[in-house]
Amino acid sequence: MSFDPAAFRAEFPIFRAPFDGPALHYLDSGASAQVPQRVIDAVARHDSTARANVKRGVHRLAEAATEAYETARHAVAHYINAPSPREVIFTSGTTGAINLVARAFGDGLAEGDEVLVSELEHHSNIVPWQLLQMRRGVRLGVIPVTPDGRLDLDGIEERIGPRTRLVAVAHCSNVTGAVTDLARIAAAARASGARVLVDGAQRAPHGPFDVAALDVDFYAFSGHKTFGPNGVGVLWGRAELLEAMPPFLGGGEMISHVGFAGSSWAPIPAKFEAGTPPIAQAVGLGVALDWLAEQDWGAILAHEMRLTGRILDGLAALPGCRLLGPSGLQQRLGVVSFALEGLHPHDVCQFVDATHGVALRGGHHCAQPLMERFGLIGTVRASLAPYNDDSDVDALLDGLGEAIGHLRG
Ligand code: PLP
């Protein structure tokens, strides 16, 4: 197998869309990836040939919709190597998945139990635990980060104590791009009986992975960052845990029987899919993941890392540029954040967009505690996907150079 960035890029109609001004250089895939034509077509085909509600219908269309929805579940299970598709729950996204665990697993915790997060988490992996803290009086522990934006796992084996019930960490930081040493965390958690939840929002788009081999308990990610539609995401959880957890939302097909004397719940995964799920969106996500699973990820990651290296080298040469995150290519992905001395991240992003067509993200990236740790209000972030090429990096570095000259005046 091999990887042809131009052929991959050709799958995405956005890159042929007419724009006013400079051509698009999309370096904001960490916020939302673009969507390939095959996913757009799959969603449209579903809605024009098999649109009906799932599970409860007995007519042909309902059966077709249910089959398509369950096929998508199999595609997710295949992409993440889940031991069973029953362990795959469709949610609204990473945020929805983590909130589900915070409720259904978290409400089973007692006052004084600990949930351990890290200083670099996205707010979606902090606030649900703070809400749990308010409901249940659990303690929220924080793993600090190193100066180069990685989890500081020094002494993690001792840090995970007898009251630590859950360690909830990002697989890859949406700010620093650092990839977490999950093996070490999982081993330490196992040794003390704690569970591990992984926020995989930034890792999932970079190729298939193996939840069984990671030896974690819950894994969350979003469709829209994984070249799929908006409004759908995934929670994977170990069957025995999901089976033991009470439902989070009530209504629809999450029941076995409803009566005023009491109700009983459907088996997993239906127990956690109250109401009408995002059906066409799940179908689109299944198509996206099947397509991703076919790619040569060794070659793609080499391509992404080469571009990341070019960005890191270019940033190092810019006057007054402070990188937030690892300066090398080991154990990181193509998510690069930096601050330009004296310049507001929003001004930088607007300038490079207007002058060079470069789409970046500027601000706190929903990681305010991390910004505080580094004494910044925000950063500029470039995030890569396989469709990026050298012209995107050239436009970025040219734009930043000009932004410094122009905005610093
Ligand atoms: N976690 C991380 C690491 C993210 O990067 C994001 C989105 O930027 C989220 C969680 C939230 O994802 P969503 O808004 O799709 O729920």
Side-chain angles (χ1 to χ4, degrees):
M1 281 211 287
S2 64
F3 173 63
D4 175 358
F8 190 92
R9 189 179 169 88
E11 299 273 341
F12 292 80
I14 195 90
F15 298 119
R16 295 187 293 280
F19 290 108
D20 291 338
L24 174 66
H25 294 285
Y26 192 73
L27 290 171
D28 197 19
S29 298
S32 260
Q34 294 300 334
V35 73
Q37 189 66 49
R38 69 186 64 217
V39 171
I40 297 169
D41 290 348
V43 172
R45 193 165 51 244
H46 178 85
D47 276 339
S48 42
T49 62
R51 183 178 164 93
N53 215 320
V54 288
K55 296 174 191 164
R56 61 201 78 167
V58 287
H59 53 77
R60 279 176 299 167
L61 271 190
E63 278 171 11
T66 302
E67 194 182 321
Y69 183 64
E70 295 305 325
T71 299
R73 199 187 304 281
H74 278 81
V76 175
H78 175 68
Y79 188 75
I80 67 175
N81 199 30
S84 162
R86 292 190 315 126
E87 299 180 332
V88 171
I89 297 160
F90 284 116
T91 65
S92 58
T94 305
T95 307
I98 296 174
N99 275 274
L100 191 165
V101 178
R103 280 279 180 177
F105 177 84
D107 279 359
L109 302 185
E111 191 171 342
D113 283 346
E114 183 187 52
V115 174
L116 189 57
V117 297
S118 90
E119 210 173 7
L120 59 63
E121 297 309 311
H122 188 283
H123 298 164
S124 292
N125 197 25
I126 297 175
V127 181
W129 309 114
Q130 291 178 321
L131 295 174
L132 174 65
Q133 188 174 38
M134 288 159 65
R135 289 196 305 279
R136 284 285 183 270
V138 302
R139 282 186 301 122
L140 196 58
V142 183
I143 302 171
V145 298
T146 60
D148 68 345
R150 295 186 182 281
L151 293 204
D152 184 351
L153 296 182
D154 222 23
I156 189 70
E157 290 74 13
E158 292 74 47
R159 179 63 191 79
I160 299 177
R163 295 298 301 272
T164 309
R165 301 286 180 237
L166 184 76
V167 184
V169 289
H171 200 167
C172 170
S173 164
N174 68 311
V175 178
T176 70
V179 173
T180 303
D181 182 355
L182 287 180
R184 183 155 172 208
I185 291 177
R190 282 281 159 267
S192 77
R195 302 292 179 182
V196 179
L197 174 142
V198 181
D199 171 350
Q202 295 296 330
R203 165 61 187 85
H206 297 275
F209 51 97
D210 187 332
V211 285
L214 288 175
D215 198 25
V216 298
D217 299 288
F218 300 104
Y219 198 102
F221 65 98
S222 301
H224 68 103
K225 295 186 200 288
T226 318
F227 311 97
N230 286 314
V232 66
V234 169
L235 173 69
W236 169 82
R238 284 182 189 278
E240 67 271 22
L241 286 175
L242 296 177
E243 274 158 0
M245 284 156 47
F248 160 44
L249 295 172
E253 295 299 305
M254 49 70 72
I255 52 88
S256 164
H257 174 262
V258 174
F260 284 113
S263 298
S264 54
W265 318 132
I268 60 167
K271 180 170 73 172
F272 293 109
E273 293 184 350
T276 300
I279 303 164
Q281 291 81 354
V283 170
L285 177 59
V287 169
L289 296 183
D290 275 346
W291 180 60
L292 291 183
E294 287 168 10
Q295 306 297 320
D296 179 345
W297 282 96
I300 290 182
L301 290 175
H303 168 74
E304 288 186 356
M305 282 301 108
R306 188 181 65 74
L307 297 181
T308 304
R310 279 201 59 207
I311 294 176
L312 292 173
D313 289 347
L315 293 178
L318 289 178
C321 179
R322 177 178 166 197
L323 179 73
L324 226 77
S327 54
L329 296 178
Q330 294 308 309
Q331 288 293 99
R332 65 132 56 239
L333 288 172
V335 177
V336 183
S337 287
F338 52 95
L340 295 177
E341 196 183 347
L343 302 186
H344 194 289
H346 287 171
D347 293 339
V348 175
C349 291
Q350 277 167 358
F351 183 90
V352 296
D353 180 37
T355 59
H356 289 73
V358 181
L360 298 170
R361 178 102 164 176
H364 55 61
H365 312 295
C366 298
Q368 284 181 339
L370 186 66
M371 295 298 135
E372 237 166 72
R373 153 77 171 83
F374 286 109
L376 293 166
I377 50 150
T379 67
V380 178
R381 181 185 75 184
S383 49
L384 295 170
Y387 40 63
N388 290 120
D389 60 20
D390 284 293
S391 76
D392 298 322
V393 177
D394 293 341
L396 169 70
L397 296 177
D398 288 351
L400 292 175
E402 279 182 34
I404 289 173
H406 188 84
L407 298 173
R408 278 203 195 130

